[in-house]
């Protein structure tokens, strides 16, 4: 009398994918960590919650480092580099729907200031043009960059984040590394990056 409905099947496929992604991502995260010496994290985008959360990490071996534990909770898309890397590369209509739900100005979180929607849109355009996002939580002493990861249907499914203590500013060096790492993870997942 029972049968598998399409919604349950989609849920099962999404769940299977969420276990598959960390396993695929970890070797790439470790390589990026070894290349830059800083903590590298894979975050997944939860479309239902419209938030991101860390699912795999290669922690820096340095005494002073960003701890991957800081990315385990869910974070809103306007908070920090990983959320903005996802938000900037969402399809235009989905991005508009997400932004429409937030107040103007958008409240700051995690040591980040309140920002107007106009300012946030400008930052998202710059992120998309550059290919990776920049985050700086001055109150927490953290700098970060992140680049989008794509799934097999060409949709953004998450991001690769590189984070480090706020004692230097090598965004220009780490941003391209995050982008290359995200592209490698996307490729191994069968991801298709839109042109």
């Amino acid at each position: 009398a029972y049968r598998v409905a399409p919604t349950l099947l989609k849920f099962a496929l999404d769940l299977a994918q969420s276990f598959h992604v960390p396993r695929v991502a970890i070797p790439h995260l470790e390589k990026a960590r070894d290349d830059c010496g800083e903590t590298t994290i894979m975050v997944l985008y939860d479309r239902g919650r419209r938030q991101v959360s860390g699912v795999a990490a290669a922690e820096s071996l340095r005494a002073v480092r960003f701890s991957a534990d800081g990315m385990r909770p869910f974070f809103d898309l306007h908070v920090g580099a990983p959320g903005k890397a996802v938000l900037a590369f969402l399809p235009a209509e989905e991005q508009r729907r997400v932004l429409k739900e937030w107040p103007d100005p958008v409240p700051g979180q995690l040591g980040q200031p309140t920002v107007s929607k106009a300012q946030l849109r400008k930052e998202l355009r710059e992120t998309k043009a550059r290919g990776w996002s920049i985050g700086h939580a001055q109150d927490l002493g953290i700098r970060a960059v992140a680049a989008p990861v794509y799934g097999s249907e060409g949709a953004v499914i998450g991001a690769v984040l590189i984070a480090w203590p706020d004692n230097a500013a090598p965004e220009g060096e780490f941003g391209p590394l995050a982008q290359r790492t995200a592209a490698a993870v996307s490729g191994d997942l069968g991801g298709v990056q839109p042109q």
Side-chain angles (χ1 to χ4, degrees):
Y2 295 95
R3 61 186 167 83
V4 175
T7 304
L8 180 59
L9 186 56
K10 183 181 180 332
F11 175 75
L13 291 171
D14 288 347
L15 188 61
Q17 176 79 351
S18 69
F19 286 113
H20 179 61
V21 171
R23 191 175 68 247
V24 169
I26 283 175
H28 298 291
L29 301 177
E30 289 173 342
K31 181 181 182 322
R33 186 262 329 267
D34 293 346
D35 288 348
C36 69
E38 301 296 349
T39 298
T40 307
I41 302 168
M42 174 74 207
V43 301
L44 282 181
Y45 173 43
D46 184 319
R47 276 195 157 66
R49 296 176 71 127
R50 293 194 173 147
Q51 294 179 314
V52 294
S53 178
V55 295
E59 287 217 10
S60 172
L61 303 177
R62 297 179 181 184
V64 178
R65 64 183 178 267
F66 177 78
S67 171
D69 290 340
M71 284 305 302
R72 300 238 185 270
F74 283 96
F75 291 101
D76 291 336
L77 295 180
H78 69 283
V79 178
K84 289 176 185 172
V86 169
L87 184 58
F89 292 90
L90 288 178
E93 184 53 38
E94 185 176 356
Q95 187 186 91
R96 273 193 293 275
R97 282 195 309 269
V98 171
L99 290 171
K100 187 177 179 183
E101 293 177 2
W102 296 339
D104 195 1
V106 181
Q109 294 177 351
L110 297 179
Q112 296 187 11
T114 298
V115 62
S116 72
K117 284 188 181 180
Q119 290 171 304
L120 181 57
R121 284 186 186 98
K122 179 178 183 284
E123 185 178 342
L124 295 175
R125 285 191 302 273
E126 291 169 353
T127 293
K128 193 163 187 178
R130 187 174 44 242
W132 42 274
S133 64
I134 297 172
H136 183 201
Q138 195 167 7
D139 293 356
L140 300 175
I142 300 166
R143 286 190 180 272
V145 292
V149 172
Y150 293 90
S152 58
E153 297 176 5
V156 176
I157 61 165
V160 167
L161 166 74
I162 299 175
W164 63 96
D166 187 10
N167 56 6
E171 287 98 347
E173 176 186 339
F174 291 170
L177 176 59
Q179 197 173 21
R180 289 191 303 273
T181 306
V185 173
S186 297
D188 280 1
L189 291 172
V192 179
Q193 182 169 344
Q195 296 302 318

